[in-house]
Amino acid sequence: MRTFDTPRSTKRAVSLRNLAVAVLLATALLTACGGDPIGAPCEFKGSGFSAGDNCRYQCLETRQVFCPDGSSLRPPQCSGASGCEPGSCPEGQVCYAIDDPFNQESYCVPADLCGELAPDARSGWEQESFERAAATRAVYEEKRRRREATTAP
């Protein structure tokens, strides 16, 4: 009876593939668990370019949040996931767009960050934040276009 042995190159390819899968899995687990979750108090360490915080995503203390009642705050707590869209955050969270003239930023934030809001008020707050952020970027984009148009070559 004749037995067929798997070629060395095939064994090596399988081993390398298994190693790559293990590395990707370990990386995903480590990055998913790194940093404090939404609502945790922020703590900054270091200074300048080496400064960092303990949050998994973003410390909201460095961002201004405008509340539906017209007030604003810089809460010293961690945000949830970044890059959200209105209605995409988990229960108890709201997707809030940061009013930044250059970058398009959005984060899930605790729904009660500005006090208790009815579900329709939360939805309105999400939409308003995205509209305000887009308007701010549009103003700065127009200023940039005018500046470039008036600059001599």
Side-chain angles (χ1 to χ4, degrees):
M1 173 177 243
R2 187 172 180 188
T3 60
F4 294 97
D5 208 7
T6 307
R8 271 187 154 159
S9 61
T10 303
K11 286 181 181 179
R12 190 174 307 134
V14 169
S15 293
L16 287 174
R17 186 188 71 213
N18 289 344
L19 177 64
V21 168
V23 168
L24 287 172
L25 182 60
T27 302
L29 288 173
L30 288 173
T31 56
C33 297
D36 287 344
I38 186 170
C42 297
E43 183 181 348
F44 283 95
K45 293 181 181 175
S47 63
F49 288 111
S50 65
D53 59 58
N54 57 304
C55 297
R56 185 175 300 162
Y57 295 103
Q58 179 68 45
C59 179
L60 295 172
E61 190 173 37
T62 63
R63 306 294 193 261
Q64 189 163 14
V65 176
F66 294 95
C67 295
D69 67 1
S71 65
S72 66
L73 50 106
R74 291 180 181 268
Q77 57 183 269
C78 298
S79 76
S82 61
C84 58
E85 294 290 328
S88 68
C89 294
E91 184 66 31
Q93 299 177 24
V94 171
C95 183
Y96 185 83
I98 302 300
D99 193 12
D100 184 279
F102 308 108
N103 300 312
Q104 191 169 350
E105 291 182 67
S106 60
Y107 300 96
C108 292
V109 300
D112 62 355
L113 191 64
C114 291
E116 288 298 319
L117 298 172
D120 59 331
R122 282 187 227 153
S123 177
W125 184 34
E126 284 181 319
Q127 282 303 131
E128 182 183 317
S129 74
F130 274 81
E131 290 167 7
R132 183 179 40 256
T136 297
R137 287 191 304 275
V139 165
Y140 277 84
E141 178 60 23
E142 181 58 30
K143 285 181 182 180
R144 184 191 64 75
R145 271 190 243 144
R146 279 188 275 150
R147 186 175 53 247
E148 286 177 357
T150 59
T151 304

